[in-house]
Amino acid sequence: MTDISALEGDLIARIAAAEDDAALEAVRVHALGKKGVVSELLKTLGALSPDERKTQGPAFNALRDRVAEAIGAKKHALGLAVLQRRLETERVDVTLPAPAFAFDPNAGRIHPVAQVTDELIAIFADMGFALAEGPEVERDDYNFTLLNIPPEHPARQMHDTFYLNARADGSRPVLRTHTSPVQIRTMLSQKPPIRIIAPGRTYRSDSDQTHTPMFHQIEGLVIDESTHMGHLKWVLEEFCKAFFEVPNVTMRFRASHFPFTEPSAEVDIQCDRSGDTVKFGEGDDWLEILGCGMVHPKVIANCGLDPEKYQGFAFGCGIDRLAMLKYGLPDLRAFFDSDLRWLKHYGFGVLEQPSLAGGLTR
Ligand code: DAH
């Protein structure tokens, strides 16, 4: 008859000696596999007398359970050891200067849209604007209704909206057609004073040389008790000077209409388009760069704020267009072709972080 404790001692020793997963698996097959020593032992139960079976049965089963448990524990320990070895060998000291671990700063390039977004964030952060965000799949009422664009308003047609399937409650989300819904989200969730910018992706069903179905906008919003149009003009002027890196810009505020602002204006900046590239701050041409205005009292009220007490301004602007203007990029569609040759040519170095102190572009 098999000496169970000797067998167990032998198996436990083999398990302990297994140095890797393969060795442990061999022990498992040797013990618990179809023809394993423990399995064979269990098969002998049938030939035993009922009395012997009563004592041997539980003993054999307990042996099988202990061996299986020991294998499980060893497997876990081996996994931890492998992880520990990897952690030790793959350690990277992130505080080392880049060249010390053969980091190639030219291996990737920053897309002009990402670069310009970082520039915009640096400029507005310097003026005390916080960064706000909203989802790209947006509620219809945030994208339109609360911005004073009711269901039958002609502006809805102008937005060439991508609608998603209706939800169970009947509401129909949209791919946001502008970043303006972030105004709503911010006013619904924060108490004034509010001073935010919200860059991000926006979508409209439109495609030609100057339109792509996905594009980027940046929204600005200031709400407090005393902000007026003069502040708006100053902020936009400072922004244009910083962004185009010129000491002076001449701007023209043209009366316009947006449902969510009153009064509304479109802003043109003076430029010279006579050469190959556009030059800002000189020349006798005008280029439209953004829409803006004083936030409509209805929009403020729609967000649960008292329009008698609170007021402020908003602006919205296409980031891709800003990138095209500043860096002389000819075709908007190329932005989203994912052509590495284009990115190598027009992209920016990964270590060239824009900052007002260090210069926006180097
Ligand atoms: N949301 C407008 C658009 O997509 C742009 C805009 C205009 C935003 C005026 C504003 C604003 O915040 O005040 O065309």
Side-chain angles (χ1 to χ4, degrees), residues 124 129-130 147 178-183 196-200 217-221 260 291 314-317 319:
F124 283 105
F129 283 74
L147 283 165
H178 50 178
T179 43
S180 302
V182 184
Q183 290 189 31
I196 57 112
I197 50 162
Q217 286 193 339
I218 185 166
E219 194 79 14
L221 174 71
F260 33 88
F315 55 88
C317 169
I319 296 180

Short mmCIF file of all heavy atoms in Angstrom, two decimals, residues 124 129-130 147 178-183 196-200 217-221 260 291 314-317 319:
data_model
loop_
_atom_site.label_atom_id
_atom_site.label_comp_id
_atom_site.label_asym_id
_atom_site.label_seq_id
_atom_site.Cartn_x
_atom_site.Cartn_y
_atom_site.Cartn_z
N PHE A 124 -4.05 81.84 -22.39
CA PHE A 124 -5.21 82.16 -21.54
C PHE A 124 -4.95 81.81 -20.08
O PHE A 124 -5.49 82.46 -19.18
CB PHE A 124 -6.46 81.48 -22.09
CG PHE A 124 -7.02 82.19 -23.30
CD1 PHE A 124 -6.87 81.67 -24.58
CD2 PHE A 124 -7.66 83.42 -23.15
CE1 PHE A 124 -7.36 82.35 -25.69
CE2 PHE A 124 -8.16 84.10 -24.25
CZ PHE A 124 -8.01 83.56 -25.52
N PHE A 129 -7.39 82.22 -16.98
CA PHE A 129 -8.49 81.35 -17.41
C PHE A 129 -8.19 79.91 -17.03
O PHE A 129 -7.09 79.42 -17.23
CB PHE A 129 -8.66 81.42 -18.94
CG PHE A 129 -9.35 82.68 -19.43
CD1 PHE A 129 -8.68 83.90 -19.43
CD2 PHE A 129 -10.66 82.63 -19.89
CE1 PHE A 129 -9.31 85.05 -19.88
CE2 PHE A 129 -11.29 83.78 -20.34
CZ PHE A 129 -10.61 85.00 -20.34
N ALA A 130 -9.20 79.23 -16.47
CA ALA A 130 -9.06 77.81 -16.16
C ALA A 130 -9.51 76.98 -17.36
O ALA A 130 -10.21 77.49 -18.25
CB ALA A 130 -9.91 77.45 -14.95
N LEU A 147 -28.67 77.27 -25.15
CA LEU A 147 -27.87 78.35 -25.74
C LEU A 147 -28.78 79.29 -26.55
O LEU A 147 -28.32 80.03 -27.42
CB LEU A 147 -26.78 77.79 -26.66
CG LEU A 147 -25.56 77.20 -25.93
CD1 LEU A 147 -24.73 76.34 -26.89
CD2 LEU A 147 -24.68 78.30 -25.34
N HIS A 178 -20.31 72.70 -31.76
CA HIS A 178 -19.41 73.77 -31.34
C HIS A 178 -19.01 73.52 -29.89
O HIS A 178 -19.56 72.61 -29.24
CB HIS A 178 -20.05 75.15 -31.54
CG HIS A 178 -21.44 75.31 -30.97
ND1 HIS A 178 -22.13 76.50 -31.02
CD2 HIS A 178 -22.28 74.44 -30.33
CE1 HIS A 178 -23.31 76.36 -30.45
NE2 HIS A 178 -23.42 75.11 -30.01
N THR A 179 -18.07 74.29 -29.38
CA THR A 179 -17.66 74.10 -27.98
C THR A 179 -18.55 74.90 -27.03
O THR A 179 -18.39 74.82 -25.81
CB THR A 179 -16.18 74.49 -27.77
OG1 THR A 179 -15.93 75.71 -28.48
CG2 THR A 179 -15.25 73.41 -28.25
N SER A 180 -19.53 75.65 -27.58
CA SER A 180 -20.38 76.49 -26.72
C SER A 180 -21.14 75.72 -25.63
O SER A 180 -21.40 76.29 -24.57
CB SER A 180 -21.34 77.31 -27.58
OG SER A 180 -20.60 78.11 -28.48
N PRO A 181 -21.52 74.43 -25.85
CA PRO A 181 -22.20 73.73 -24.75
C PRO A 181 -21.35 73.66 -23.47
O PRO A 181 -21.91 73.48 -22.39
CB PRO A 181 -22.49 72.33 -25.30
CG PRO A 181 -21.78 72.22 -26.59
CD PRO A 181 -21.58 73.61 -27.09
N VAL A 182 -20.04 73.82 -23.59
CA VAL A 182 -19.22 73.81 -22.37
C VAL A 182 -19.54 75.06 -21.52
O VAL A 182 -19.42 75.04 -20.30
CB VAL A 182 -17.71 73.72 -22.70
CG1 VAL A 182 -16.90 73.61 -21.41
CG2 VAL A 182 -17.42 72.52 -23.59
N GLN A 183 -20.00 76.13 -22.18
CA GLN A 183 -20.49 77.30 -21.42
C GLN A 183 -21.61 76.86 -20.48
O GLN A 183 -21.63 77.20 -19.30
CB GLN A 183 -21.08 78.36 -22.36
CG GLN A 183 -20.10 79.09 -23.23
CD GLN A 183 -20.81 80.26 -23.94
OE1 GLN A 183 -21.75 80.85 -23.42
NE2 GLN A 183 -20.35 80.61 -25.13
N ILE A 196 -13.22 80.69 -17.92
CA ILE A 196 -12.72 79.42 -18.48
C ILE A 196 -12.46 79.51 -19.98
O ILE A 196 -13.02 80.36 -20.69
CB ILE A 196 -13.72 78.26 -18.26
CG1 ILE A 196 -15.11 78.58 -18.86
CG2 ILE A 196 -13.85 77.92 -16.78
CD1 ILE A 196 -15.50 77.75 -20.03
N ILE A 197 -11.61 78.61 -20.45
CA ILE A 197 -11.54 78.31 -21.88
C ILE A 197 -11.81 76.82 -22.03
O ILE A 197 -11.55 76.04 -21.11
CB ILE A 197 -10.17 78.64 -22.52
CG1 ILE A 197 -9.03 78.05 -21.70
CG2 ILE A 197 -10.02 80.12 -22.75
CD1 ILE A 197 -7.74 77.95 -22.47
N ALA A 198 -12.34 76.45 -23.19
CA ALA A 198 -12.65 75.04 -23.44
C ALA A 198 -12.28 74.69 -24.88
O ALA A 198 -13.06 74.93 -25.80
CB ALA A 198 -14.13 74.78 -23.20
N PRO A 199 -11.07 74.17 -25.08
CA PRO A 199 -10.72 73.72 -26.43
C PRO A 199 -11.21 72.29 -26.63
O PRO A 199 -11.35 71.55 -25.65
CB PRO A 199 -9.18 73.75 -26.41
CG PRO A 199 -8.79 73.59 -24.97
CD PRO A 199 -9.98 74.02 -24.11
N GLY A 200 -11.48 71.91 -27.87
CA GLY A 200 -11.89 70.52 -28.08
C GLY A 200 -12.38 70.25 -29.48
O GLY A 200 -12.44 71.14 -30.34
N GLN A 217 -12.42 73.65 -31.96
CA GLN A 217 -12.75 75.02 -31.56
C GLN A 217 -12.20 75.28 -30.16
O GLN A 217 -11.90 74.34 -29.42
CB GLN A 217 -14.27 75.22 -31.50
CG GLN A 217 -14.94 75.32 -32.85
CD GLN A 217 -16.37 75.82 -32.70
OE1 GLN A 217 -16.99 75.74 -31.65
NE2 GLN A 217 -16.91 76.35 -33.81
N ILE A 218 -12.12 76.54 -29.84
CA ILE A 218 -11.87 76.90 -28.45
C ILE A 218 -12.94 77.91 -28.04
O ILE A 218 -13.30 78.79 -28.82
CB ILE A 218 -10.45 77.46 -28.23
CG1 ILE A 218 -10.22 77.71 -26.74
CG2 ILE A 218 -10.21 78.72 -29.04
CD1 ILE A 218 -8.76 77.95 -26.38
N GLU A 219 -13.48 77.70 -26.86
CA GLU A 219 -14.53 78.56 -26.33
C GLU A 219 -13.96 79.34 -25.16
O GLU A 219 -13.11 78.81 -24.43
CB GLU A 219 -15.66 77.64 -25.81
CG GLU A 219 -16.95 78.36 -25.54
CD GLU A 219 -17.70 78.61 -26.84
OE1 GLU A 219 -17.36 78.03 -27.88
OE2 GLU A 219 -18.65 79.42 -26.81
N GLY A 220 -14.40 80.56 -24.99
CA GLY A 220 -14.00 81.32 -23.79
C GLY A 220 -15.26 81.81 -23.11
O GLY A 220 -16.25 82.13 -23.77
N LEU A 221 -15.25 81.86 -21.79
CA LEU A 221 -16.41 82.35 -21.06
C LEU A 221 -15.96 83.05 -19.79
O LEU A 221 -15.14 82.52 -19.03
CB LEU A 221 -17.34 81.19 -20.69
CG LEU A 221 -18.54 81.55 -19.80
CD1 LEU A 221 -19.58 82.36 -20.60
CD2 LEU A 221 -19.20 80.30 -19.23
N PHE A 260 -26.73 83.14 -28.75
CA PHE A 260 -26.35 83.06 -27.34
C PHE A 260 -25.61 84.30 -26.83
O PHE A 260 -25.17 84.32 -25.68
CB PHE A 260 -25.51 81.79 -27.08
CG PHE A 260 -24.66 81.39 -28.25
CD1 PHE A 260 -23.38 81.89 -28.40
CD2 PHE A 260 -25.15 80.51 -29.21
CE1 PHE A 260 -22.61 81.52 -29.49
CE2 PHE A 260 -24.39 80.14 -30.31
CZ PHE A 260 -23.10 80.65 -30.44
N GLY A 291 -15.83 84.65 -33.30
CA GLY A 291 -17.13 85.21 -32.96
C GLY A 291 -17.17 85.45 -31.46
O GLY A 291 -16.53 84.72 -30.70
N ALA A 314 -18.43 85.92 -23.99
CA ALA A 314 -18.02 84.62 -24.50
C ALA A 314 -17.39 84.83 -25.86
O ALA A 314 -17.64 85.84 -26.53
CB ALA A 314 -19.22 83.68 -24.62
N PHE A 315 -16.55 83.90 -26.25
CA PHE A 315 -16.02 83.93 -27.61
C PHE A 315 -15.76 82.51 -28.07
O PHE A 315 -15.62 81.60 -27.25
CB PHE A 315 -14.74 84.77 -27.72
CG PHE A 315 -13.64 84.35 -26.77
CD1 PHE A 315 -12.72 83.37 -27.15
CD2 PHE A 315 -13.52 84.92 -25.52
CE1 PHE A 315 -11.71 82.98 -26.30
CE2 PHE A 315 -12.51 84.54 -24.65
CZ PHE A 315 -11.60 83.57 -25.04
N GLY A 316 -15.75 82.33 -29.38
CA GLY A 316 -15.51 81.00 -29.93
C GLY A 316 -14.72 81.14 -31.21
O GLY A 316 -14.91 82.09 -31.97
N CYS A 317 -13.85 80.17 -31.45
CA CYS A 317 -12.89 80.37 -32.52
C CYS A 317 -12.40 79.00 -33.02
O CYS A 317 -12.28 78.06 -32.23
CB CYS A 317 -11.77 81.19 -31.88
SG CYS A 317 -10.30 81.37 -32.77
N ILE A 319 -9.76 76.39 -34.01
CA ILE A 319 -8.32 76.19 -33.74
C ILE A 319 -7.56 75.81 -35.01
O ILE A 319 -6.44 76.28 -35.25
CB ILE A 319 -8.13 75.09 -32.67
CG1 ILE A 319 -8.74 75.53 -31.34
CG2 ILE A 319 -6.64 74.76 -32.49
CD1 ILE A 319 -8.60 74.51 -30.22
#
